[in-house]
Amino acid sequence: MDEKNKQLAELIGQSKNTVFFGGAGVSTESGIPDFRSETGLYAARKVYGYPPETLLSHSLFIEKPSLFFRYYKENLVFRDVKPNAAHIALARLEKQGLLQAVITQNVDGLHQAAGSENVLELHGSNWRHYCLDCKAEYSLEYTLQPVNCRDEVVPVCEKCGGIVRPDIVLYEESLDGRVLSAATEAIEAAGLLIVGGTSLAVYPAAGLLRYFGGKNLALINKSETPYDGDAQLVIHDAIGKVLEEVCCLLAQEGRAVV
Ligand code: ZN
């Protein structure tokens, strides 16, 4: 058993308020590629003619909805994926009262699928959709049926004909104020903040970290991050493996179920 995983289990065991903050790396182990990765960047330019930041921007969504939805549906929607060891471990920790909140930058809903309840989705969720005009809500399934779409790809409202958009935050759009406040409060209140699967290079991850005034910061990421020097514990390993081991260790102490 890795010594650092043991240290993380101890920190979780001692902490009264633990918050997990996760990025794309949490979902890649479920087979969801990071569209911001080099491969994702290259594919976006080659196949769609623009980088992901443009394809997922508010202006492109308004100006070229067909291109937006084609990229979005082919690259951000994964219906058949399942929660991985990281999602499952985090849900178990929450059930045992060892984790107070999960803050995620992912839009795939996998934390909820694993059983986590207090999940703050900074960038929204691609399981929720609404009509731009009459605000009627729609399921992901509805938006994927070509019969409900213009040009077979742009979902339209069956009530008023307006465009139905995913409830995710696009580039050039601001984060949902309520979610952001809740995330800020959770980080401020945390004694232990575990950050995983993010290089912490992009907004809003780095910005939110400034609100943390607790005792212990633990980072789990495959590669180095600019915050490695500020953390009490740094683990460069696969997040699913780390959190699964941590859960096992806590279970041995009777603190968590496996
Ligand atoms: Zn409508």
Side-chain angles (χ1 to χ4, degrees):
M1 197 65 82
D2 193 297
E3 192 56 35
K4 288 196 169 180
N5 293 351
K6 219 169 156 181
Q7 283 175 35
L8 182 57
E10 276 165 20
L11 289 179
I12 294 172
Q14 291 157 7
S15 168
K16 286 191 174 61
N17 190 326
T18 299
V19 169
F20 177 82
F21 182 101
V26 176
S27 290
T28 46
E29 289 176 29
S30 284
I32 297 180
D34 180 5
F35 65 85
R36 299 177 204 84
S37 69
E38 273 191 38
T39 326
L41 229 78
Y42 177 78
R45 280 188 187 277
K46 193 166 178 249
V47 181
Y48 307 90
Y50 297 95
E53 289 78 6
T54 307
L55 290 161
L56 294 172
S57 68
H58 181 79
S59 10
L60 188 121
F61 166 68
I62 298 296
E63 286 157 23
K64 299 179 177 173
S66 298
L67 177 61
F68 168 83
F69 277 104
R70 194 160 70 84
Y71 176 74
Y72 169 73
K73 288 181 176 180
E74 289 168 2
N75 294 273
L76 271 89
V77 175
F78 298 89
R79 270 185 302 173
D80 301 324
V81 290
K82 298 209 161 39
N84 62 52
H87 299 106
I88 293 165
L90 290 164
R92 282 179 184 158
L93 291 173
E94 184 184 353
K95 283 204 173 60
Q96 294 298 304
L98 294 169
L99 183 69
Q100 273 58 51
V102 169
I103 302 168
T104 180
Q105 294 175 269
N106 302 330
V107 297
D108 50 45
L110 287 177
H111 286 293
Q112 290 92 332
S116 284
E117 285 178 17
N118 192 17
V119 183
L120 299 165
E121 296 171 308
L122 287 175
H123 293 159
S125 168
N126 63 15
W127 289 92
R128 297 188 301 264
H129 294 75
Y130 64 91
C131 168
L132 279 181
D133 296 334
C134 75
K135 310 296 173 209
E137 292 174 10
Y138 287 93
S139 65
L140 173 62
E141 214 48 51
Y142 175 89
T143 67
L144 296 177
Q145 301 299 323
V147 65
N148 299 326
C149 297
R150 200 171 74 200
D151 300 339
E152 295 211 326
V153 70
V154 181
V156 287
C157 176
E158 60 183 2
K159 297 187 179 101
C160 79
I163 291 181
V164 172
R165 66 164 283 176
D167 192 5
I168 60 170
V169 180
L170 301 177
Y171 286 93
E172 303 163 354
E173 294 179 339
S174 27
L175 300 184
D176 182 307
R178 275 174 303 179
V179 179
L180 187 59
S181 310
T184 309
E185 280 169 28
I187 289 177
E188 275 176 340
L192 168 62
L193 178 64
I194 306 169
V195 180
T198 166
S199 58
L200 285 170
V202 289
Y203 177 83
L208 273 170
L209 229 64
R210 285 204 307 265
Y211 292 95
F212 180 62
K215 204 170 153 204
N216 293 305
L217 173 66
L219 300 182
I220 312 167
N221 200 46
K222 278 187 179 163
S223 54
E224 286 182 13
T225 81
Y227 288 83
D228 282 12
D230 299 330
Q232 278 65 45
L233 182 63
V234 179
I235 305 176
H236 290 149
D237 204 346
I239 189 154
K241 180 176 152 248
V242 172
L243 291 177
E244 193 171 20
E245 278 190 22
V246 164
C247 259
C248 285
L249 286 163
L250 287 161
Q252 281 166 19
E253 295 167 18
R255 297 295 304 268
V257 284
V258 277

